[in-house]
Amino acid sequence: MLGSIPDLLRLVAVPVFGWAAYRDVKTRRVPNRTWTPLAALAVVLLLWDAYTVWTGPTAVGQRLFLIRVAISLGFVIPLSYGFWLIGGFGGADAKAFMLVAVLFPVYPVYYLPTVALPLQQSAIGVFSLTILSNTVLAGVVYPLAVAAGNLVRGRFSLAMFIGRPVAAATVTEEYGRLLESPDGFDRGGLDLDALRMYLQWRGCSLADIRADPEQHRRPSSLPTVPNDPGDGSLVTDGGDPVAGDVTEPAHDAGAGGADHSDAVDDPWGAERFLDDIDHSAYGTSPAQLRAGLDVLVERDEVWISPGIPFLVPMFAGLVVSLTYGDVLFSLLQAVGLA
């Protein structure tokens, strides 16, 4: 494979994004240090390309390069940050797309013996937008695959396009979000990371709560000295311990302890938990926590959405972009819209 030195160095992103996608599937967490070396490389390569173009022979090429870089940096980066602000992206997703905007502002070119890649370029020529659109198209495949799997297994529900059923007793071993409330289907159900944080904070397991829900609903059952809630990750991920395997046992209120009167309108201690921790439990509200716990103690099977580990379609979008090119532009051309 032949290409400019900066474009060849950009291929380092492929194994990095592949590893990040694997981590996203297994743990839903990607260390910040993953992006630092690639970000430094992206800045160096952008300056390298800028110098090469600026000292080139044509003013047209210089203007096109500057326009495409301006679109990539001025549109994709704010868009990624905005999606992170409203909760549409996780932190790793936003950082990855910001990195793509700097690393791939214009189309790279790779020469094989009989063809040059990418095969299909868009008219605008901003490569980060091609990666973004291919990522979105790859993400669309996910709910279709989930629905097909549920149909084959005879699972029919309003949640069948975005979730799957699991035993209620085992939800702490899963990533994702409950798709049920006591009133039925609910896309805004309890985040399972937040559930693990709550159980860790209380110093009990979901099995304990399911065995005696009435006792655990009472504020008087809350610990006097709660545990650190951690971040809700699974022990197998190298994260903080989850409930049932706490390092410090919680102590129930007793003589001389804090008075958590049962008259307080705080079932499950949801408000106290969220007030006590010094950071958000993934945007969980007391109502969401209470509704989720009510469902988990009443039902044997629940629907959960594992969510889309967004770095997976992003990795797919990157690979498709580097080889085929802009899929959306090809589709628009096929129907006469481009």
Side-chain angles (χ1 to χ4, degrees):
M1 179 182 292
L2 297 176
S4 70
I5 294 176
D7 284 349
L8 291 173
L9 289 173
R10 286 183 171 95
L11 292 177
V12 172
V14 175
V16 173
F17 272 76
W19 180 83
Y22 171 79
R23 284 279 301 179
D24 203 14
V25 170
K26 299 296 290 185
T27 72
R28 298 299 198 274
R29 286 161 176 81
V30 179
N32 286 330
R33 63 179 180 273
T34 303
W35 312 115
T36 304
L38 206 53
L41 177 64
V43 172
V44 170
L45 296 180
L46 180 58
L47 294 175
W48 188 336
D49 279 345
Y51 176 79
T52 301
V53 170
W54 198 253
T55 57
T58 65
V60 173
Q62 295 169 0
R63 285 196 296 271
L64 280 175
F65 177 81
L66 290 176
I67 290 170
R68 288 164 177 167
V69 170
I71 293 173
S72 186
L73 302 184
F75 178 75
V76 176
I77 289 178
L79 180 68
S80 302
Y81 183 71
F83 270 107
W84 173 76
L85 281 179
I86 65 174
F89 279 170
D93 304 329
K95 290 169 187 172
F97 259 128
M98 291 178 187
L99 175 60
V100 162
V102 181
L103 188 61
F104 291 107
V106 299
Y107 271 77
V109 181
Y110 302 103
Y111 297 98
L112 299 180
T114 58
V115 70
L117 302 178
L119 298 174
Q120 176 68 65
Q121 294 195 19
S122 67
I124 194 171
V126 179
F127 194 57
S128 59
L129 290 180
T130 290
I131 297 171
L132 176 60
S133 64
N134 284 345
T135 296
V136 172
L137 291 176
V140 169
V141 174
Y142 174 80
L144 298 178
V146 170
N150 285 325
L151 280 173
V152 169
R153 294 172 178 83
R155 302 167 176 169
F156 299 97
S157 166
L158 290 174
M160 64 182 295
F161 286 92
I162 56 175
R164 60 187 175 87
V166 298
T170 65
V171 295
T172 53
E173 300 169 14
E174 305 282 350
Y175 279 113
R177 179 181 294 274
L178 282 180
L179 292 174
E180 299 185 54
S181 72
D183 298 324
F185 173 69
D186 184 359
R187 287 201 63 178
L190 177 61
D191 187 286
L192 299 183
D193 281 353
L195 172 64
R196 278 186 287 271
M197 290 173 64
Y198 170 77
L199 295 173
Q200 167 79 1
W201 177 82
R202 283 196 72 144
C204 67
S205 67
L206 182 58
D208 295 332
I209 287 181
R210 284 172 56 84
D212 192 356
E214 291 309 313
Q215 170 63 20
H216 287 87
R217 277 193 181 95
R218 299 171 185 165
S220 59
S221 69
L222 296 176
T224 304
V225 183
N227 294 298
D228 185 326
D231 65 357
S233 59
L234 296 171
V235 172
T236 54
D237 303 335
D240 295 331
V242 294
D245 189 25
V246 293
T247 54
E248 294 290 339
H251 303 287
D252 290 338
D259 180 16
H260 306 300
S261 170
D262 285 357
V264 175
D265 186 18
D266 186 19
W268 301 109
E271 287 188 21
R272 185 188 165 203
F273 162 63
L274 294 170
D275 288 342
D276 187 62
I277 63 176
D278 60 1
H279 55 282
S280 170
Y282 304 100
T284 302
S285 68
Q288 283 177 313
L289 180 53
R290 293 186 190 115
L293 290 167
D294 286 340
V295 167
L296 291 171
V297 300
E298 292 169 0
R299 302 179 190 174
D300 293 327
E301 186 177 81
V302 294
W303 282 79
I304 67 168
S305 170
I308 301 176
F310 201 71
L311 287 172
V312 176
M314 191 182 299
F315 173 63
L318 174 63
V319 172
V320 171
S321 299
L322 287 168
T323 52
Y324 178 79
D326 199 306
V327 176
L328 180 60
F329 186 73
S330 292
L331 294 175
L332 292 176
Q333 279 188 321
V335 297
L337 296 177

